[in-house]
Structures are given as C-alpha cells and as structure tokens.
Amino acid sequence: MTPESRAEKLQKIAPELLEELKEKKEPEKGLPPLEINDQLVMRFAPNPNGPPTLGSARGIVVNSEYTRKYNGKLIIRFDDTDPATKRPMLEAYKWYLEDCEWLGAKPDEVVIASDRLQRYYEVAEELIRRGGAYVCFCEQEVFKTLKDAKKPCPHREQEPEKNLENWKKMLRCEYQEQEAVLRIKTDIAHKDPAIRDWVSFRIIRTHHPRQEVGDKYCVWPLLDFESAVEDHLLGTTLIIRGKDLIDSERRQRYVYEYMGWTYPKTMHWGRVQIYEFGKLSTSGIKKAIAEGKYIGWDDPRLPTLRAMRRRGIRPEALRKFMIDLGLGETDISLSLDTLYAENRKIIDPIANRYFFVWNPVELEVEGAQPKIAKAPLHPSRGGVREIPAGTTVLVCRNDVDTLKAGEKLRLKDLYNIRITSIAPLKAEFIGTDMDLVKKEKARIIHWVPLEGLKVKVLSPDGEYTGIGERGMEKELDKVVQFERFGFVRIDSVSGDEVVAYFTHK
RNA sequence: GCUCCGAUAGUGUAGCACGGCCAAUCAUGCGAGACUCUCACUCUCGUGACUGGGGUUCAAAUCCCCAUCGGAGCACCA
C-alpha cells in the first residue's frame, strides 16, 4: 500500500489518527529532545591540566546547547583535585573560560573543586557516621587480593567512632602518603569488581598549584567522590559524559543512597578519535612543547581550541559539527573534513582572495609591458585589488615542474604567455585575449610581483614559505583565501613579513 | 579472569523506547558534468550501509537469543 492510499484509507476509517501519521514523518534535527520536568542544571567538568581540545568542545557545546534550548543553567566545574598525577595548569583555568566564551557557551557559574574541600570533608564525616565509609590501612596489593576474592579487609568492620578518629588524624596529616585511605562501603561481593569498596580520599603531600590552596590540605578526594558530591551540591539534573564513566555512576550511587540524595539523570557518549591528530595526550604535548617541537599550545598541528581559533575556524562551525555528532554511545573515529566543510560555508563568502606563491621561481616575460593587474578581491562580492607586474614575476615551483617549453598559459588576471625555456624559466608575451583559456583550454596559474611580502604559512603538515601580493597585510586577524592554495588566517604582520595560519583547503 | 557498553554507506548521523510509512535520512567524502580568469565556491547527476546466524511475527534496521567484532571499568588518574 502506498503512503498516499494508506492516508486516504485512514482518512475514511479514523481521521483523528491522521495527525499522528504526519507527525512521525518529520524527524527531529540536532540533538535528541529532552524530557524536562524541573529546571535543567548541567555542568561541564574538566580537569584544567591542559587547554581545552576538540574533545572538550563536545562537552562544552552539547551542554551549552541543551541549557540554551531548555533555558537551563550551565556550570563549569574544575575538577582539580589531583595536585600530583594530573597536576592542574594555572593558565588552563583561564583558557577554559576564554574558549567557552569563544564557543558561545559562557557558563552561568564557575566552580573550582579545590576551593571546596571542606564541603567534601563534611560529607565524608557524615558518611563515616552512617557507616558508609571506613578508613583503610591496607596496602594496595593486599586490598586488591582481598577484593578480587570478594573478601572484606580487617578495617571494613571498624566502628564508626574509630573511623572518625582515624579520619581526623588523616585530616591533621598524621599519616604519610599511601598509609591510609577512606573507602566507600559498597558490596564487597558485588559481581562487578569495579564496584567493590572504592577509594574516596587519599593522602597527597604535593602542593596544589593554585596559590589559594597551596599546601592547605593533604587529604584529597578522588573524582568519583568529588564529582558525586558536587553534582548534588550544585543541583545538577542532567549529566552528559563519556561512557568510560558508566561504572563510576554505579559507584557513586552508593554515596547517594547513604546520604538520601537523588542521582541526576545521565547520558553517555563513546570515545572520539580524530583521524588527523591520532593519539596525542595532554602530557605528551606538554613535553613536546617544552622540547620545542611545537611552538606552543596553539601550534596548528595541535587539536586544541586555541589552535583552531588561531587557524581561523569559526565557533559556529565547531558548534554545528559537535551537535551533528549527536549523543551516540558508539566509539567514533572522525576526520575533520566535515568541520572544514562547515567552516568553509561560513568563510568562503567573506574571505578576500590573494595570490601567494610558495617555492617561488622567477619567470621572465619577453615582450611584456609593465602593467597593473586588476583582480577581484572576491569572485562574487566585488572590490578590486591592483597588482603591479613588471616584466619578471614569480610563479610556483609546483607549476613550473609540470610545464613544457612551447606551452601556452595564462597568468591569472594578467596576460597570456608562451614558455620559451624551462631553465632558466623564460616566456614570451602572446596577448591578453581570454579566448586562449576559453577556446584553447590553456591553463591558468597565479603569480606574484618580485616586490611582494615575505609570507610564511604554518599548517598542520608543515611550513610553507613564499611571496604574497601586497594588500593582505591589511587583513590582520582575518581569514583570506590564497588562491589555489587554501584559506588562511593572517596571524601577524611586521614590516614586509606576514605569518599566516592555514585554515583548510 | 570478572563486569559493563556498543555495532546503519569510506566517515559521521537519522530511523530503534511504540515492528508495517525504510528498496533506509542528512552531511561529508569520492566519481562525472555545468559554471567560473582559483585546483575554491555554487549547481546537477551518480556512488555507497542495516556485523553474522537463529527465533518471534502476516510483517524485523527496529523485539528475543547466540556468535563475532570494537570500546571501557576492575587505580591512593581525571
């Protein structure tokens, strides 16, 4: 039965259902809709141990998209409770806020976990009182062996009073690192070993990098605990996070149960791998920067948001890209082509065009008169750029490599030539008629006068140096297109030297 | 070893909660062509997927079971 005849038939027997038939036809675009009862409160919770990356962007964008759409509250919470292994980076706090704002995701509230240790201690104490936590002195391997055998350790049945006493000692820094931890009592025989009595606090003697905190504390919560408590304190109603934290939720629910709290709704997404960047870790990048392999956190070869911004990626493009990824739990490995396509749609209509000749080679044109070429600033928006051409111009080595003596070609927006010699490269002027291109299908190549700007383009796959036409120095901080090369953002101009960051083709 | 997730074209995604509008959506990529004084943009056409096997049913991408593959957790990392 065709949809039409079906609808017709339905019209006869049950016209009231026809509406429903139509509704299902239109799928929801963008993120899946949410069922919201109360106010929506969401948080984005990074560890500021490095600058935000494309991976962070997904969290930032999706959270902000939902809170924007449902008029909710967006919180950024810095989970900086590990001063040692994943030591926070002082500048990163600021960078996160900057990049969130750049992405159009300015948070309504900023929370720093390392400022709120007292609150976590209070909950811990209450948990101990209620018999939901105990101070454990087992060595790691000893506990692991017991745990794997589903056996409780001797400290598990300690009286709350005694636990409280030991906990106070922990807080007074009377123990060394590794000597004592606070464990949450779950089910030591739980079928999933990942759930059994987990550690909520441990002793760390390393100073926290934040001046406000410094060496004030030696007892630090682990993520599972800190996050569990904060999500409650902040009134979070929906958490979206990676599916690597699914087990974490099962652990945290024990805390919620002891405290009589309600666990927020949760959604998870899979792992994201970006084809172009492979396996770069924050610590690895940090090291490589220190060694001078990258020029900084905004090196165009890096997947940081600072690098994307410097390259001229627009936040709207990044937002759309992230939203289109959806909320799947599948692990995905993606290529940035789609992001680039999205970005191109935004910048192509506004980017002015210029000539940039990389690996320049001199080309002498016999019989040519010096002339000022007039080329459009943009193919459809109007505006003209004037490029003075002498009798010798520069062209790309790549083009020269494919030329043959005798070949006729057009220097774009200038005139036609015939190659008379390859080495040294020489040609003769043969007119200005466009018929050469239209009828004889001659190639068009771009060129640049001898007196150009020194241009360096930093791109994900290396550096290009060459000569660019004058005029682009006025486009500082703008994205322009180097014809037959790609889009770039003019990053700096000093005298006759221009540095540009490659955006994409 | 134990436990938990997931599987739709090259890539990403829609459809799956409620089986029939699905010979499966959209984007990107790729191919061909048109346009163009750029290899860009735009337009047109094309390309290509329900992991496998069973089951339930009049009907399965959708429900159930098994297998396979991929990922994650079992840290005093986040």
Side-chain angles (χ1 to χ4, degrees), chain A residues 319-350:
Chain A
R319 274 189 86 97
K320 178 149 197 313
F321 178 67
M322 291 300 169
I323 289 167
D324 284 351
L325 286 187
L327 249 36
E329 287 195 27
T330 323
D331 301 318
I332 53 179
S333 107
L334 39 92
S335 135
L336 258 21
D337 284 342
T338 318
L339 170 64
Y340 295 157
E342 216 61 68
N343 199 60
R344 197 176 292 118
K345 280 181 203 156
I346 299 171
I347 62 176
D348 183 75
I350 55 178

Side-chain angles (χ1 to χ4, degrees), chain A residues 111-330:
Chain A
V111 174
I112 302 179
S114 58
D115 273 341
R116 294 158 64 95
L117 256 52
Q118 282 306 337
R119 299 172 197 240
Y120 312 148
Y121 293 161
E122 282 163 28
V123 175
E125 192 173 321
E126 185 56 31
L127 235 28
I128 295 170
R129 284 214 174 82
R130 298 187 184 192
Y134 60 96
V135 177
C136 176
F137 296 96
C138 292
E139 276 182 33
Q140 263 180 82
E141 296 88 81
V142 174
F143 187 86
K144 181 173 167 42
T145 311
L146 288 168
K147 182 203 71 183
D148 287 345
K150 303 184 178 178
K151 292 216 178 82
C153 85
H155 316 284
R156 194 171 202 265
E157 296 314 320
Q158 188 87 257
E159 293 297 310
E161 290 72 34
K162 189 68 190 156
N163 279 323
L164 219 42
E165 205 176 291
N166 291 336
W167 169 247
K168 295 267 162 73
K169 280 192 188 170
M170 279 176 76
L171 291 183
R172 286 196 302 268
C173 299
E174 290 182 22
Y175 300 116
Q176 295 305 307
E177 287 188 8
Q178 310 284 316
E179 211 180 329
V181 293
L182 187 75
R183 284 189 188 279
I184 300 301
K185 198 186 278 187
T186 63
D187 174 359
I188 202 66
H190 198 285
K191 64 171 183 168
D192 183 350
I195 309 301
R196 301 171 196 160
D197 291 20
W198 49 277
V199 175
S200 54
F201 286 87
R202 81 297 210 190
I203 294 164
I204 297 178
R205 282 269 157 82
T206 310
H207 293 190
H208 195 279
R210 289 183 62 233
Q211 211 184 334
E212 301 87 328
V213 184
D215 58 356
K216 248 159 101 178
Y217 311 102
C218 61
V219 175
W220 289 91
L222 277 100
L223 176 75
D224 281 341
F225 190 85
E226 179 269 333
S227 177
V229 173
E230 280 296 4
D231 285 334
H232 174 258
L233 293 178
L234 297 172
T236 310
T237 58
L238 174 65
I239 300 168
I240 305 183
R241 59 185 164 197
K243 69 173 183 179
D244 49 316
L245 295 177
I246 287 180
D247 287 330
S248 188
E249 173 174 342
R250 283 189 262 264
R251 285 192 284 261
Q252 293 179 338
R253 279 186 179 277
Y254 281 88
V255 172
Y256 274 71
E257 202 133 307
Y258 286 127
M259 298 302 290
W261 300 339
T262 308
Y263 203 89
K265 294 250 179 312
T266 52
M267 291 171 127
H268 302 94
W269 52 48
R271 259 184 91 106
V272 181
Q273 257 197 8
I274 295 165
Y275 189 77
E276 283 83 346
F277 296 106
K279 58 251 164 249
L280 291 172
S281 71
T282 302
S283 53
I285 297 171
K286 199 174 278 186
K287 195 164 161 253
I289 290 175
E291 289 168 358
K293 286 183 188 155
Y294 295 118
I295 58 172
W297 287 99
D298 51 5
D299 188 290
R301 288 163 290 186
L302 258 21
T304 59
L305 296 187
R306 323 190 65 68
M308 292 295 144
R309 180 166 57 210
R310 196 160 190 188
R311 285 174 53 187
I313 299 293
R314 304 293 288 252
E316 313 93 276
L318 202 43
R319 274 189 86 97
K320 178 149 197 313
F321 178 67
M322 291 300 169
I323 289 167
D324 284 351
L325 286 187
L327 249 36
E329 287 195 27
T330 323

Side-chain angles (χ1 to χ4, degrees), chain A residues 371 410 414-417 428-434 436:
Chain A
K371 137 176 203 194
R410 167 108 182 150
L414 189 60
Y415 44 59
N416 307 329
I417 56 170
E428 60 178 341
F429 174 84
I430 54 167
T432 58
D433 197 347
M434 272 312 282
L436 180 74

